[in-house]
Amino acid sequence: MTAAITSSRPSPLLRAFTGVLCAALAFSPLPAAAASPASFGMFAAAPAPASTGNTIGLFRLSGDPASAEALRSQILTDMSAAGYNVKGVALDIDGAAGKVKCKGGADACVGKVIEWLNKGAAKSGTVYDYLIYGSVGGPNGASSIVIYDVAKKAKVKEFTPSLSPDDLILPLALPRAMVANLNNYRTPAAPATAEEQKILAELDEPAKTPEELAAEKAAIDDAIGKVAAGQGELIDTSNVKVDLKKDFKDFCRTGPPKPRVNKDDPKDLRPACKRGPTFGYFQTRAWVALGLTAGALLTTGIFYSLGLAARGPTSRRSTTSTIRASTRPTRCSPTSTPAWPPTWPTRATRCATA
């Protein structure tokens, strides 16, 4: 048994080779351990977001709050409908310039603002291709809306509209014009062909001779004269038939104005006639005039009644007797002799006695 165990021990040469192999493995560099953590799937860095070329950063518009918010909302709607990926920015361009501590205005600071926005691109997955920023003036004030190309660091287009509270077309037309300009900027239209240029040339009105110009001027002056002469003419409304009761809903409303479904719908300009088709057509001023007139008549009647009541029936009888006595001729007694020459009796002398 001892001999079997002794014979199973490894030889000194084998033990020495095993020791050298273990030492080589212990001190050699391990590629797996020395590799970067990014080589492992769970620690790999996220790839940089790829831009599709249609991402727009829409800043808040400074200036008049109501007009700015309405215009920004319409820009967002039209740009999204055109296929652009619109991302709202919670600041206006001046506020973003303050974040990066830049002074000098929007045009001078937009580059630093872009760098600040794109710092979080790896986390948010958003890379802006275009920016829209600007300001909206008050009523009839100047405004400025800019479309900016981030890659080329240049303005695509700057719009300078003058918005008015009564203008319902411009707030709708401006965002559509912005969409059209950006589309044409990204995909420029092909130049006009020879056939198209020929058609355009034919559309232009040829030059007119002096005789034709003089005839046009005479016709315009004649039309102006006819309009001026007919300004005092009355418009004939005899053939216009209107049933105020039947067409009451076309002329008046009994509740609040009809809401518009979209901004293309016209405003409900019908006046409020809450008293129905009979008395509803009387406006406030008519009711005031009617009330004042009725009040004046009532007050006059009251004062006259009070005056008659204060005099009483006895006072009326005495007054009537006094009037009759003063106007009736005085009869002389038979023994009296009228004065000569005869005079009409007065209160002082009724008859002259003999």
Side-chain angles (χ1 to χ4, degrees):
M1 182 69 180
T2 303
I5 294 174
T6 303
S7 62
S8 63
R9 291 177 180 177
S11 63
L13 182 61
L14 180 60
R15 285 183 289 178
F17 177 75
T18 303
V20 172
L21 180 61
C22 290
L25 292 175
F27 294 102
S28 64
L30 297 178
S36 173
S39 61
F40 297 95
M42 61 184 299
F43 298 107
S51 174
T52 57
N54 67 338
T55 304
I56 299 175
L58 179 58
F59 284 82
R60 291 188 178 275
L61 303 178
S62 59
D64 184 64
S67 300
E69 188 60 30
L71 182 60
R72 184 173 185 263
S73 176
Q74 191 63 39
I75 292 173
L76 173 62
T77 301
D78 289 348
M79 287 291 182
S80 301
Y84 290 97
N85 182 23
V86 183
K87 299 290 184 179
V89 181
L91 300 172
D92 58 11
I93 189 65
D94 295 330
K99 288 287 185 180
V100 298
K101 299 179 180 180
C102 177
K103 298 180 180 180
D107 295 339
C109 300
V110 65
K112 293 184 178 181
V113 170
I114 293 171
E115 295 177 0
W116 174 66
L117 290 175
N118 287 334
K119 279 184 179 179
K123 296 181 180 180
S124 63
T126 301
V127 175
Y128 297 105
D129 301 298
Y130 303 95
L131 299 179
I132 296 178
Y133 60 88
S135 62
V136 177
N140 301 318
S143 305
S144 175
I145 311 296
V146 177
I147 303 177
Y148 189 84
D149 189 344
V150 175
K152 296 182 179 180
K153 297 181 178 180
K155 292 182 180 180
V156 176
K157 180 74 174 180
E158 180 176 4
F159 300 86
T160 56
S162 179
L163 299 175
S164 173
D166 299 328
D167 192 346
L168 302 179
I169 298 177
L170 185 57
L172 299 175
L174 178 60
R176 297 174 186 177
M178 295 174 65
V179 172
N181 275 270
L182 187 55
N183 289 338
N184 294 334
Y185 177 80
R186 297 181 64 198
T187 308
T193 62
E195 183 179 358
E196 292 173 344
Q197 292 179 356
K198 180 181 178 182
I199 295 174
L200 293 175
E202 292 176 353
L203 292 177
D204 294 336
E205 187 176 356
K208 296 181 180 179
T209 62
E211 291 78 9
E212 292 175 343
L213 295 175
E216 286 185 357
K217 185 177 182 306
I220 293 173
D221 294 340
D222 183 49
I224 293 174
K226 290 181 179 179
V227 171
Q231 286 182 350
E233 296 180 0
L234 297 177
I235 300 176
D236 185 14
T237 59
S238 58
N239 294 328
V240 179
K241 296 182 180 179
V242 177
D243 190 343
L244 295 180
K245 291 187 176 181
K246 182 179 179 181
D247 302 331
F248 176 75
K249 294 183 178 180
D250 297 334
F251 297 107
C252 288
R253 55 181 174 83
T254 56
K258 183 180 179 181
R260 295 187 297 173
V261 179
N262 52 56
K263 291 187 176 182
D264 292 332
D265 295 339
K267 286 185 176 181
D268 187 3
L269 301 178
R270 296 177 300 168
C273 307
K274 298 181 180 180
R275 295 176 181 85
T278 303
F279 299 101
Y281 287 107
F282 288 93
Q283 297 301 309
T284 305
R285 67 186 69 177
W287 287 109
V288 170
L290 182 61
L292 291 175
T293 304
L297 292 174
L298 181 62
T299 304
T300 303
I302 291 174
F303 275 104
Y304 272 102
S305 300
L306 292 176
L308 292 175
R311 299 184 67 175
T314 305
S315 177
R316 286 198 298 274
R317 290 196 198 98
S318 61
T319 303
T320 305
S321 301
T322 303
I323 294 173
R324 289 177 179 176
S326 63
T327 57
R328 184 171 53 194
T330 303
R331 297 180 180 179
C332 299
S333 61
T335 58
S336 62
T337 303
W340 188 261
T343 58
W344 188 260
T346 62
R347 291 184 180 181
T349 58
R350 298 296 182 182
C351 291
T353 58

